[in-house]
Every structure is written in structure tokens, then in C-alpha cells.
Amino acid sequence: MKLPKFETYAASYCTRCARELRRYWYFCPDCGKKQTWGDTNGVTGCECYYCGWIVSDSFSYCPWCGKDISDEASSDVPLKKPRGFLFHARCSYGSCRGGMQFPMHHCPWCGRVNYWDYEGEFEGTCPHCEGGVDDMMDYCPWCGGDATGQDLMQPAIKRVRGLLRRVRVPDWGFRILVRPGVSGVDPRYPKIVEIDGYYLVDRRHQIAWPAMVGLLTHELGHSFLYHHWRFARSRRFRRAFGDVDKAYRGVDESWVSFRKRTLSKTPVNHVTAYASKHPLEDFAETFRFYVIRRGRLKDLLAEIGRHGKGVIVYEKFLTLHAYLQEVRRRQREKQ
């Protein structure tokens, strides 16, 4: 069912953190406090006995918790808009078709679960309940779960953050989100790193944690470069990785093994075959190997020699290493 315009709802505030809330949010997106929307203004004169939320005396079921609240005052036929409620959609079940107000989870007339289409109204969907969430929400306002989805891959995130600290990569405030679709980073929002929930929610296609660490590190390489975009335009970057404005190579269906921790023998001028697709991918793969190897240039350069890599691969790691040193130096000067 399509969502109505949010302007129809008066805003309220969380009693714990004072965050502005949309009416009928189940949880506060900032602190996760469970909300109760009772009939404080005496609009309907009724509240659900089980959850304490506002209901109509004509309802047969509580639209918020789904409990049976029918009594002699309940309407025998589904109504479109009882007193105190708005009409936004009809129940999706043909035998009912009663009126519903967003964001009722249950039909107040037949008790069946209904689903709303959140596309276009929110920046993403919750990986736990598929409700609409925004990128900066910590908790899902519908189910109260982790809106970022980081709880689904906590071991991998902990490992990656530990590696970044060990390599002393300056923190740029990145935020990891589990979202449906392709993993990646939008250049317009360089701090937002999206990971495809397909690899986490669907157990049939889950990938091992070492592979997830590699995927996260690769996407963080994109995020780091987009955040330091001036570096991508510098002469030393173009000399080592190439021009970022060049077109991507043809997309194929080959799987990228992010679990692999050793350099590939071909092609000789890139750390992996996937890195040869574009300078952006080349940097992300170089960043991945640099971080996973804890920035140990001596070991990396020795492996490059054993695999017969070209001199340009040496320069890529040295360029990244030198730029990280420069960023750390600038941060110290600001302090």
C-alpha cells in the first residue's frame, strides 16, 4: 500500500532523548525507546487493553498489536474512516477492503497483516522488518532493531575497524549500512557504505566472515577515496592508478573473491584481475590488500616481487602509504 504524505501528521518528541518523532512510530530512531500513542486528547475515548495505543470502539482488532478487541460496539462491516482516524488505503484482502490509516500493521476490521510501500519516502529499508528507514537512523522506528544492520555482521565490522586502527588509517566518519541491492558507495555521499543484505539475510547465499571483511575493506577503499577526492585528481594518483574519468571496462558476471588474501599473478600491473577494470577499483583493491596486510610494506613488496608484478604495483602501494602519512600529518597539525 502506498504511503501518505507525512505532513498530515503532527510531530511529537521522544521523552528520553527529545528526538522529533513522526506520529505512530513504534520506536525512537535515536535511542530506541518504545513509544505508546494513547488517546491523550480524548479523540476516540478508547485505548487498546493490551498495548495502550489509541483505537476506535468500532474496531474488531487493534491495528497496532493485532489483538482481538471486538465487543458489542464493534462495527459489523468494515468502515472507511471511523472517528479519530484518517483514511489512507484499503485493506489488501479482497474479502475485507476496510479503511486503514498509515502505519497500521494490522487491519482493524479483519486483523490481517498489511504492508506499506516505503519506497520514495525513506532512504532505505530496515534489514530486519523491511520498514522504511533513513541512513542516519540508529534504530528502526517500526521494529526497534538496528536500522543500520550492523548487528548482522558485527564480527566482520569489528575485525575491519581493528585493522584500520592498526594500520593507523585516519577515521573519516564512515557509516556502514545493510541495504538491499548492490554493495557500493555513492560519490555524492562518500561516508555511506552500503552492503548488500542478500549476503547476510538470505542464509542460502551467506558468505564467510573473511570474505565479508574483504568486501567491507574494498568498499571502504571507495569511501576513503571519495572522501579525499582531491587526492584522486592529483598527479601522483594518476601516475600510479590512472585517470578516474576513464570509462569502466565491460561488466561481466565473474565473481570477485574478496576472501582471497594473496596477490594474483595476472595481470602484472594490478594487484588482482578485478582491479584492472577501472582506476577506482584499482585503488579499492590496493587499499584492501594494504589494510588486510596491516600496512606492512616490506612484506607486500616482497610478495609483489615473488609474483612477478610490474614496477607500477610497487608505486601504487607506496603512493597509498605516503598519502596516509600525509593525512595523519595534517590531522596532527589541526590539533
Side-chain angles (χ1 to χ4, degrees):
M1 295 185 293
K2 190 175 181 180
L3 266 63
K5 295 295 183 181
F6 280 127
E7 287 73 19
T8 57
Y9 298 102
S12 183
Y13 297 90
C14 176
T15 56
R16 178 187 293 173
C17 66
R19 204 259 200 212
E20 185 177 357
L21 304 174
R22 297 289 184 181
R23 189 163 177 79
Y24 300 131
W25 273 358
Y26 288 78
F27 297 87
C28 172
D30 279 2
C31 67
K33 184 181 186 300
K34 190 174 182 179
Q35 305 297 315
T36 300
W37 299 90
D39 186 25
T40 55
N41 297 324
V43 177
T44 65
C46 299
E47 292 180 348
C48 175
Y49 174 80
Y50 300 96
C51 66
W53 282 45
I54 183 173
V55 294
S56 170
D57 56 1
S58 60
F59 287 170
S60 297
Y61 295 87
C62 174
W64 316 112
C65 67
K67 298 289 187 179
D68 187 346
I69 56 172
S70 58
D71 55 20
E72 62 276 2
S74 299
S75 175
D76 295 331
V77 295
L79 303 180
K80 180 179 179 180
K81 187 176 67 172
R83 183 170 61 90
F85 290 89
L86 301 175
F87 170 76
H88 291 139
R90 291 193 179 275
C91 176
S92 56
Y93 291 87
S95 59
C96 176
R97 303 299 291 171
M100 295 183 63
Q101 174 179 332
F102 176 80
M104 291 179 175
H105 188 53
H106 300 267
C107 174
W109 316 108
C110 67
R112 295 188 177 108
V113 176
N114 282 254
Y115 299 94
W116 298 87
D117 182 9
Y118 296 93
E119 186 175 357
E121 296 292 344
F122 290 91
E123 295 172 338
T125 56
C126 173
H128 300 283
C129 69
E130 298 185 355
V133 294
D134 289 331
D135 290 345
M136 301 313 294
M137 288 181 175
D138 293 325
Y139 297 89
C140 174
W142 314 113
C143 70
D146 187 345
T148 66
Q150 294 185 18
D151 57 325
L152 299 174
M153 52 178 179
Q154 200 58 243
I157 293 178
K158 184 178 180 180
R159 174 65 173 166
V160 170
R161 290 189 180 276
L163 288 170
L164 292 174
R165 286 194 299 269
R166 188 157 187 172
V167 181
R168 295 191 300 146
V169 177
D171 184 22
W172 66 97
F174 63 86
R175 185 175 177 84
I176 299 173
L177 305 175
V178 176
R179 295 290 184 261
V182 180
S183 301
V185 181
D186 189 333
R188 297 172 298 175
Y189 311 101
K191 295 184 180 182
I192 302 297
V193 179
E194 295 190 351
I195 301 298
D196 189 357
Y198 178 78
Y199 302 127
L200 299 164
V201 179
D202 191 338
R203 293 190 175 185
R204 296 171 299 175
H205 302 94
Q206 284 182 343
I207 61 178
W209 291 124
M212 181 57 67
V213 170
L215 174 60
L216 279 172
T217 313
H218 175 91
E219 299 302 342
L220 285 172
H222 284 298
S223 175
F224 179 86
L225 185 60
Y226 289 143
H227 185 67
H228 300 88
W229 191 242
R230 184 177 296 180
F231 172 53
R233 296 294 188 184
S234 65
R235 180 180 298 178
R236 55 179 171 171
F237 181 93
R238 293 199 303 269
R239 184 176 62 246
F241 297 96
D243 188 356
V244 294
D245 292 328
K246 69 175 291 188
Y248 263 80
R249 286 181 54 190
V251 179
D252 54 34
E253 299 297 327
S254 60
W255 171 255
V256 183
S257 178
F258 289 112
R259 187 172 186 173
K260 188 175 181 180
R261 296 190 176 188
T262 58
L263 302 177
S264 61
K265 294 184 178 181
T266 56
V268 295
N269 291 331
H270 300 84
V271 289
T272 63
Y274 189 70
S276 64
K277 287 184 174 294
H278 193 270
L280 293 176
E281 303 298 345
D282 194 6
F283 178 84
E285 282 290 87
T286 303
F287 183 89
R288 173 168 76 95
F289 276 97
Y290 181 86
V291 171
I292 289 179
R293 297 301 183 81
R294 300 176 176 85
R296 296 171 179 169
L297 277 181
K298 184 177 180 180
D299 295 340
L300 276 169
L301 298 181
E303 185 175 354
I304 290 172
R306 289 196 302 270
H307 284 76
K309 292 291 185 179
V311 176
I312 189 64
V313 180
Y314 286 88
E315 187 172 356
K316 290 173 183 178
F317 282 107
L318 292 174
T319 300
L320 173 59
H321 183 76
Y323 184 72
L324 290 174
Q325 288 181 324
E326 180 182 328
V327 174
R328 289 195 293 266
R329 177 181 56 78
R330 289 203 302 262
Q331 285 190 346
R332 288 195 300 268
E333 292 175 352
K334 290 181 180 180
Q335 294 176 353

